[in-house]
Amino acid sequence: MVSSLRLPALTSLISPSFTRRSTVSLRRRLHLRPPLAAGFSAQSAASSPTETEDRVDSKKSGRVQDRGSTDRVITPRSQDFNAWYLDVIANAELADYGPVRGTMVIRPYGYAMWEAIQDYLNVKFKETGHSNMYFPQFIPYSFIEKEASHVEGFSPELALVTIGGGKELEEKLVVRPTSETIVNHMFTQWIHSYRDLPLMINQWANVTRWEMRTKPFVRTLEFLWQEGHTAHATLEEAEKEALQMIDVYTKFAYEQAAIPVIAGRKSKVETFAGADKTYTIEAMMGDRKALQAGTSHNLGQNFSRAFGTQFTDENGLRQHVWQTSWAISTRFVGGIIMTHGDDAGLMLPPRIAPIQVVIVPIWKKVDEKTGVLDAASSVAETLKNAGLKVKLDDTDQRTPGWKFNFWEMKGVPLRIEIGPRDVSSGSVVISRRDIPGKQGKVFGISMEPSILEAYVKDRLDEIQSSLLQRAISFRDSNIVDVSSYEELKEAISLGKWARGPWSASDADELRIKEETGATIRCFPFEQPQGTKACLMTGKPADEVAIFAKSY
Amino acid sequence: MAGGEKKKSGGGGKKKEVKKETGLGLSFTKDENFGEWYSEVVVNGEMIEYYDISGCYILRPWAMSIWENMQTFFDAEIKKMKVKNCYFPLFVSPGVLQKEKDHIEGFAPEVAWVTKSGESDLEVPIAIRPTSETVMYPYYSKWIRRHRDLPLKLNQWCNVDGFCTANLMLDCRSREFLWQEGHTAFATKEEADTEVLQILELYRHIYEEFLAIPVTKGRKSELEKFAGGLYTTSVGAFIPNTGRGIQGATSHCLGQNFAKMFESMVWQNSWAYSTRTIGVMVMVHGDNKGLVLPPKVSALQVIVIPVPYKDADTQGIFDACAATVVTLSDAGIRAEADLRENYSPGWKYSNWEMKGVPLRIEIGPRDLANNQVRAVRRDNGEKTDISRVFLVEQVKGMLDKIQQNLFDVAKQKRDACIEVVKTWDEFVKALGQKKLILAPWCDEEEVEKDVKARTRGEMGAAKSLCTPFEQPELPDGTKCFASGKPAKKWTYWGRSY
């Protein structure tokens, strides 16, 4: 999974029976994609963007008729979720295919969503005592190998640099897939005594994993992320940190992205190889598949023992440090698209939206133009001064109708229309992206700055919470409580998530994966009261688990 | 508490042997052994850590926060100019790389090639971006289809890898560095010209107002300009100790050269600054006690240190330190207290001097009794007693003075190195004295090549650094210092990094 931190060395060290290779093959089998996504994967390594573009175009023209006033066509979400997803990304100008298979160019509109994620999290990380730093992108192969007694388990995903400076390198370099090895290498030099602890750092960086099946934002060869790495004197502190960070992610998902993730603990099978415990936030996408949207690992002493990261405690004794790591990536942008979008395109939560309000001036006669544009500019100015992200679409090369469709497709939460009659009455018309048609349209809102500003801010808040409520209802209506394997299979075959008591073996868990394609997404932190019997074995179970198919 | 108690900063080998036992002093002085001093101060000051791959560094929080402070400023400014951020992939296919011949020739030996994924060989090796023009511009031609798609103004913050690249961060062999690279396209040359200078002014601002380093704005010679571009402007700094100029940041007008290649006739610019800025700052301001950081970029502006004598009211002093930090922090000043009990005040003084914190506040029993603190400036060692009643105003005033003084001192040192020459003999003499040479020049490429050839030696050849926008008067009949032909302009010359 994109946002989990993997260290193959420890896969083999910790659970020799469950090799990296088997994870990969299992995952790949579960994620066979329809031909369109395969198209994304199947670009030749050296294909130019132009070739890619042709591919997209031919795909489009072969499918759907033009939609009248707009020349942009999006496959209806209900018809083909994956095609809809790719259309939205292309038409809303979120990303473009990169020149190398499986890479992507993140365009300004998509990047601004990532910046909204960064701006929020970066502050939270600093508030919780973490410092940013930067580690090199190249890691000597020996680092990886040193720690990986069975490096072949994950090596298929490593990008290796063998030529540099015009000649063969003495030692192969790995383009970082994650930074545990180099971080621990440095921690051993920076940590001496208990006074050096806790050491809490984060970096914003690009990472590379040579994935075979790719999908923009969700899984790409190169992606952007933050990776936090901490070292502590005690297990309790590390556990507290791991929980604190999954909590930061959870709050972010709910409050900013309006994604009602379910936070919980991964099963042993799904735990990050090398971690004692993996905490996760799981989000339900519009096609009801689960997306692992962020993870936080309590690494215990597994890495510090492998690397010899030790400190002298208050009694003068040498101890291994206790560590955590946690990450969120550009995959989250994919999560936002797939949670809130609809047939018309993107639908962005106001706190993530690069543009919160679009203003569309409407005039027919030339003598109306100046008055309308002046009013529109002054409204734009008012809202900008109020700290809102505003776009005034005053081009005269497109009709208002075209603009309405375009900005709806781009997911802008609020639209303000201003025509000649509005100018004379000193009011505007406001439409909500989340409520289509007349129902979401309100006439006669005063242009008076104080009134307009308050009105717009209230509506944005309403949209923010309404998107969350809608996603919660969707999520809850698609989680089925099950008490037997039969019920679980039925729920999964209906595309739903199944929640049921679980205390069965790892083998049983893998069997479910084989037979239904679903995996344990997590044991949610919120657990029902009362005694429970395992859905598989009927034996007593302490916890319920959530099963679902996933990205 | 900021980290900072690393007694041993054992790097990836290179510098280990030079550490003294306490790790607090520097083994080398700036005047006597600049290169070694520099390598030592960046490590002991906890800016960077050396790493097993030579030329790769770890940017520690102390350096990263400086980068972030500059980034916050620059990112907001370019957004005001309606430049948008984006991200282009790290990987380049060889086909794209070969589209631009100038580039492949200029960069090929420096390109790192991914040839394997895991155990299997890739069908086609894939390059890691040495710079992003080749990756970006095909997309520009795709995205710019009509006149209304202009201007297109994009920027990205990213890492760049080059083997033996000239784009150094902290020394001449830095392989990976962080930077921003802006790439813009306009319908007219006028718009492009205007933006080149707007961006250059932002770079001047970063150097002079944030890093307190005087720079010269000017234009690069034909020989020194960005290959394939129309013209290059730069802000140039000077390192008096080595007598070398250093290119601080560049803003290029590419003209229509790249656009021709991709069949869209637009005017393009590109502009960049990198983590090299931090290296220049260390070189200019650092001293024999360690780093000296300008208050505007320093992660910490004030470090508060308790100085409890025997039998003193230790708790009272510690409380006063904590209260001082709260007062300063509430006023927006970046302050922390060093309350570690296992280090003496003297050790802490040296430690924070090494890290270059602009202002140290000491609080001892006498200060406690008088409701005052003692403030000690890092830049000149000046000590002042401040009443706690006027703490915020006084500290703010001192930080402003430190910022200004760093700039003034650097400017005075730089200016003292400027030597105006008019003949070849004067030129050679000034070069030998490590001067920043201002000379009348005929502006002919062949002459510059000739100057390079004639000055080639152990120290490296001299070249033109820039032609400053602010030109002194050039009387009629002034001759070129190198060719004797009529001079057209005053140009800075010297050795450079």
Side-chain angles (χ1 to χ4, degrees), chain A residues 480-492:
Chain A
V480 181
D481 282 308
V482 298
S483 54
S484 69
Y485 188 29
E486 282 314 307
E487 287 175 12
L488 182 145
K489 277 197 251 187
E490 196 196 341
I492 297 299

Side-chain angles (χ1 to χ4, degrees), chain A residues 30-42:
Chain A
L30 295 174
H31 293 283
L32 289 174
R33 269 168 227 300
L36 282 175
F40 177 65
S41 309

Side-chain angles (χ1 to χ4, degrees), chain A residues 360 362 404 415-419 422 427-431 441:
Chain A
V360 180
I362 303 166
F404 291 0
R415 178 178 75 230
I416 295 183
E417 304 157 25
I418 303 176
D422 302 306
S427 65
V428 299
V429 180
I430 299 187
S431 298
K441 201 162 190 163

